[in-house]
Amino acid sequence: MTKTIEYIFDFAAPNGYLAWYPLKDIAARTGASLTVTPVFLGGMHKLTGNSPPMMRDADVKGKVPYAALEFQRFLDRHDMTRFRMHPALPFNSILLQRVLVAASGEEERQGLVEALLPAVWERNIDCGDVEAVGQELDNAGFDAGRLLAATQDAEIKAKLAENTERAVERGAFGIPTFFVGGEMWFGKERLGQLEEYLSGGRL
């Protein structure tokens, strides 16, 4: 039976960008299907007491520089030469996350991730600017008017909050988080373990 990888995702996390492309390759190699569950990272942090690593670890000698080294190693290993750290980090991603919730289905949702990840983490658009986001959607062939209007819909807002609360209830506390059935993995560093599991290896 085909396994499904559920990707708990928010555009606000740079590691969400880094994990996306290898994750797609893992799904292809293992024959797994992939689904994206949009959550609001700011809400997740509030619910769990978590915070961005550069803030959480700021007073730990050596930890932030080492994290930056590992981050760069990952970029180099996967030839992610177009990545640019967003100057507004940490930024509010709620507009983009509501756009994802408003997608007409999984195919469109993953298409939106494909279109908007480079806008955020390569071109560093203002993620709260409705016009800038709308332009990116138009350029990628999406119905920007429909998607942006839906971000103000009470049902869309409630669904994003529900996704976030549900992810936390299941054990998620940050991005990227992956679920296969009841099993959870956190972090781009766990992608190898995820692939091993999908390939029939032990946990």
Side-chain angles (χ1 to χ4, degrees), residues 34-145:
L34 179 61
T35 64
V36 173
T37 298
V39 298
F40 182 46
L41 182 58
M44 182 178 285
H45 282 172
K46 185 175 182 180
L47 289 168
T48 62
N50 199 3
S51 60
M54 77 286 286
M55 298 168 61
R56 185 182 66 241
D57 300 331
D59 295 329
V60 181
K61 183 175 175 59
K63 192 168 184 181
V64 172
Y66 182 75
L69 174 62
E70 285 288 275
F71 193 93
Q72 187 60 51
R73 285 172 174 167
F74 194 95
L75 289 172
D76 294 342
R77 177 183 178 186
H78 295 280
D79 197 29
M80 296 180 178
T81 58
R82 294 185 295 274
F83 176 87
R84 299 291 181 270
M85 189 60 74
H86 203 295
L89 188 71
F91 54 81
N92 190 324
S93 61
I94 199 160
L95 174 64
L96 296 179
Q97 296 308 108
R98 288 174 179 169
V99 166
L100 288 186
V101 174
S104 59
E106 187 61 32
E107 182 176 356
E108 183 175 54
R109 183 168 295 114
Q110 292 191 31
L112 288 165
V113 173
E114 283 283 319
L116 293 173
L117 271 179
V120 176
W121 292 109
E122 296 173 14
R123 298 191 294 280
N124 296 158
I125 66 165
D126 181 344
C127 298
D129 186 325
V130 174
E131 289 188 9
V133 172
Q135 187 62 60
E136 293 291 339
L137 293 171
D138 279 334
N139 291 346
F142 294 100
D143 184 345

